[in-house]
Structures are given as C-alpha cells and as structure tokens.
Amino acid sequence: MEINTIFLIVVLLLIVILLTRVISLQSQLNELKRDVERIENGAGITQRTSRSSVDYPVSSSTQSSSSEHPTELSELDQELTLMIQQGNKIKAIKKLREARNLSLKEAKDYVDALDRTSS
C-alpha cells in the first residue's frame, strides 16, 4: 500500500511539473504569435529596442544608407502622424493599440517617437 502511495505522489508531482512547462510554452507561443502579427502588419521605418518588443519609428536622418529601411512611412504611421498634427494624439494612441494589439504604454511611446520624428 505504501508503494502505491509513493508512486501516486511521484505521478502527481510529474503532472504538476509538466503542466507548469506547458503553460510556460503556451505563453512563449502567444508572444511569438504577437511578434509575427507585428511583423506582418509592419511599421514602415522602424528600429527594434532592447527593452521592448515595440518597433519605434526612426527619422530618415538616422537611417543607414544601406537601404535596410524603406524611406516612406507605412500607411498606419502616416495616418497616425496626421492625427498627431491635428492635435489628436490620444486618438492616435487608441488607433495604434487597436491596430497592433499594444499596451497603453507601448502605444504611447510609439506615438511619442513618431511625433518626434515627424517634427
């Protein structure tokens, strides 16, 4: 009877460990899916930052001359820039959050960077 109890405890521990690993892998998979969506939706001129997974716009003066980045902003960036110029920064942040599924902070940082590059 004692061997069955020990065996059952070991099996339960293995199940808990495996479930934890599956949850972790699912989280990583969801993050990769978001990254793929961002790449597919793409922002015209972007620069990857080390602190965040958000692509921030880069002004044409800071681009490399090796044609790594297109010289025009994406349609979304152009629309956001127009909203910013019209004084609708909050609406631009909201639109970006909906379009790219970003957090409020990521969207605000992106719009602020876009505002700086368009000035």
Side-chain angles (χ1 to χ4, degrees):
M1 189 71 160
E2 222 175 62
I3 293 177
N4 287 339
T5 306
I6 293 173
F7 178 74
L8 184 60
I9 291 172
V10 169
V11 168
L12 288 174
L13 285 173
L14 284 174
I15 290 172
V16 169
I17 291 169
L18 289 174
L19 281 174
T20 304
R21 184 66 181 143
V22 167
I23 291 169
S24 171
L25 289 172
Q26 184 64 44
S27 171
Q28 290 174 359
L29 179 62
N30 289 339
E31 187 175 335
L32 287 172
K33 284 180 182 178
R34 285 191 300 272
D35 288 344
V36 167
E37 287 175 6
R38 287 183 187 129
I39 290 170
E40 286 176 350
N41 293 339
I45 303 170
T46 59
Q47 176 181 1
R48 205 71 169 168
T49 63
S50 59
R51 286 187 227 157
S52 172
S53 61
V54 179
D55 292 335
Y56 293 99
V58 179
S59 69
S60 58
S61 63
T62 61
Q63 291 182 33
S64 65
S65 60
S66 64
S67 300
E68 289 178 14
H69 302 287
T71 56
E72 297 180 7
L73 295 174
S74 71
E75 283 184 39
L76 179 60
D77 284 347
Q78 290 174 359
E79 191 173 341
L80 295 173
T81 301
L82 182 60
M83 292 172 104
I84 292 166
Q85 290 170 349
Q86 293 173 345
N88 295 322
K89 201 171 195 179
I90 293 173
K91 286 184 181 179
I93 293 169
K94 192 173 188 178
K95 179 162 187 72
L96 180 63
R97 287 190 72 197
E98 292 170 0
R100 298 228 179 111
N101 194 25
L102 298 176
S103 71
L104 180 59
K105 182 182 181 344
E106 290 171 329
K108 182 187 179 306
D109 291 346
Y110 185 96
V111 168
D112 287 342
L114 190 61
D115 188 18
R116 284 190 300 272
T117 61
S118 66
S119 302

